[in-house]
């Protein structure tokens, strides 16, 4: 299959996001390139003084929680990390217009979200 990125190589941002996803427990090849580009675009829109790698790691952690679901996430990261991710998810659902909410909806609409996480999201209210 012809891949655009194989012509010029991946950008530094794409490599950083791939590394963050891998560290969060999700192999980067499981996430479509268009979804990763959208994550990068969402992160770039957020004005923050946090370094890029830290922002990618934070986003990848929540994204991995949404993709894997609670139990597989606990196996990789432990209960405390899962509780933190769960609290972020709950806050995102309550806020509805945050970066975390956008990342969660991206996972949902891309068809990547775990069933146990999808059941908690009521998109008709938004």
């Amino acid at each position: 299959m012809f891949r655009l990125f194989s012509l010029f190589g991946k950008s530094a941002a794409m490599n950083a996001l791939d590394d963050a996803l891998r560290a969060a427990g999700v192999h980067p090849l499981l996430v479509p390139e268009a979804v990763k580009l959208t994550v990068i675009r969402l992160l770039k829109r957020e004005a923050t003084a946090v370094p890029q790698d830290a922002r990618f790691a934070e986003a990848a952690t929540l994204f991995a929680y949404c993709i894997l679901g609670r139990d597989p996430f606990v196996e990789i990261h432990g209960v405390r990390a899962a509780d933190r991710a769960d609290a972020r998810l709950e806050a995102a659902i309550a806020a509805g217009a945050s970066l975390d909410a956008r990342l969660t909806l991206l996972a949902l609409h891309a068809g990547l979200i775990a069933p146990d996480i999808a059941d908690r999201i009521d998109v008709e209210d938004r």
Side-chain angles (χ1 to χ4, degrees), residues 96-110:
S98 66
L99 174 61
D100 286 351
R102 289 182 185 96
L103 291 170
T104 303
L105 286 174
L106 177 60
L108 176 71
H109 291 297

Side-chain angles (χ1 to χ4, degrees), residues 40-106:
I40 292 169
R41 185 172 297 124
L42 288 171
L43 291 172
K44 286 185 177 184
R45 284 187 193 165
E46 295 290 317
T48 180
V50 178
Q52 174 179 296
D53 288 344
R55 288 184 313 173
F56 285 177
E58 202 171 289
T61 299
L62 179 64
F63 211 64
Y65 184 77
C66 291
I67 292 171
L68 297 172
R70 181 167 177 86
D71 292 339
F73 191 87
V74 167
E75 289 179 23
I76 296 168
H77 297 286
V79 174
R80 290 179 59 156
D83 289 344
R84 285 191 300 272
D86 192 56
R88 284 179 64 192
L89 179 65
E90 287 298 321
I93 291 169
S98 66
L99 174 61
D100 286 351
R102 289 182 185 96
L103 291 170
T104 303
L105 286 174
L106 177 60

